[in-house]
Amino acid sequence: MPPFFIAELGLNVFPYSRDRLTRLVETAAEAGANAVKVQLFYADHFPEAEQREKIQLEFPRYEFDWFLRLAHSYGLKAGASVFDINAVVRADEGDFLKLAAREQGNLSLISYARIFSGPRYRSIDRRLSIVPFLGTDQNDTLLMCISEYPTPMDDAIQMAEAVPEGWGWSSHTAGYEDCVAAAKQGAPVIEKHLRL
């Protein structure tokens, strides 16, 4: 069975416009993705050194409903990466939510995310800590990843070939060979940062 494939729209959404978002969703559908995802964060959530860059990349939360309708009109599921409790509440209308690897030690966010009754995907970078293995339940699918942008392909393939049974893969490479390796391992879910 092929994996459930999520296209992370990421930085391609900016500068934000509905036309730009439509082009990305349309491209993801044409590429055969099953779902699309945006990131819901506020810049002040991040370390001060990152805030100036991040503030330009905030997805307008008031557009999330429109994003859902757009994705559904292309036959795609839609969700969001969440970084704070308000984002969990906002994303509750989506088809799934995602917790980034940088949040894998944020136990209060992980706990609060349980209000979402649909599928939850949690990226895990085993190099960061063992904390994320606490608190998983039947709605959680863990996605192995390397939190490096872009991830060197050789490193990614090596890790993708070792994806544990039942785990998915979150790809941060500039190519796709790691996704093929993860699919061969039986990864049920693959998240790929979309590049145009």
Side-chain angles (χ1 to χ4, degrees):
M1 176 179 222
F4 183 76
F5 201 90
I6 302 169
E8 160 62 63
L9 304 184
L11 300 181
N12 286 300
V13 178
F14 304 97
Y16 177 80
S17 72
R18 284 188 171 187
D19 287 343
R20 188 178 195 86
L21 186 59
T22 299
R23 182 172 165 243
L24 289 165
V25 170
E26 185 175 70
T27 300
E30 288 173 0
N34 303 103
V36 287
K37 181 175 74 67
V38 294
Q39 296 184 10
L40 298 180
F41 60 76
Y42 290 125
D44 63 4
H45 175 75
F46 298 97
E48 192 172 333
E50 296 179 41
Q51 290 180 13
R52 174 178 265 162
E53 175 192 4
K54 294 289 188 187
I55 200 163
Q56 302 169 51
L57 305 176
E58 290 179 359
F59 185 85
R61 293 184 187 199
Y62 62 85
E63 289 282 57
F64 189 68
D65 289 339
W66 188 84
F67 165 65
L68 294 176
R69 290 192 304 274
L70 175 66
H72 294 161
S73 74
Y74 282 89
L76 299 172
K77 302 280 188 188
S81 288
V82 294
F83 295 82
D84 58 71
I85 289 170
N86 290 332
V88 173
V89 172
R90 191 72 189 95
D92 193 48
E93 298 171 26
D95 300 305
F96 63 90
L97 65 78
K98 167 84 184 325
L99 293 157
R102 76 184 301 153
E103 301 302 317
Q104 69 186 37
N106 188 342
L107 295 182
S108 61
L109 181 62
I110 292 168
S111 295
Y112 192 80
R114 288 189 178 155
I115 70 162
F116 185 80
S117 60
R120 295 183 301 262
Y121 303 110
R122 291 174 53 193
S123 285
I124 305 296
D125 186 333
R126 287 184 166 178
R127 303 169 308 164
L128 298 180
S129 78
I130 60 167
V131 171
F133 301 104
L134 303 174
T136 58
D137 69 24
Q138 70 275 4
N139 288 356
D140 291 328
T141 298
L142 302 179
L143 310 180
M144 188 179 284
C145 76
I146 299 174
S147 298
E148 186 177 338
Y149 304 88
T151 303
M153 186 59 73
D154 289 345
D155 295 348
I157 290 173
Q158 183 178 3
M159 188 169 280
E161 289 175 341
V163 169
E165 184 176 342
W167 283 51
W169 175 247
S170 179
S171 173
H172 300 125
T173 65
Y176 61 86
E177 293 90 346
D178 57 313
C179 295
V180 172
K184 286 181 179 178
Q185 276 296 108
V189 177
I190 294 178
E191 175 194 25
K192 177 67 179 165
H193 286 240
L194 182 66
R195 297 179 74 226
L196 295 181

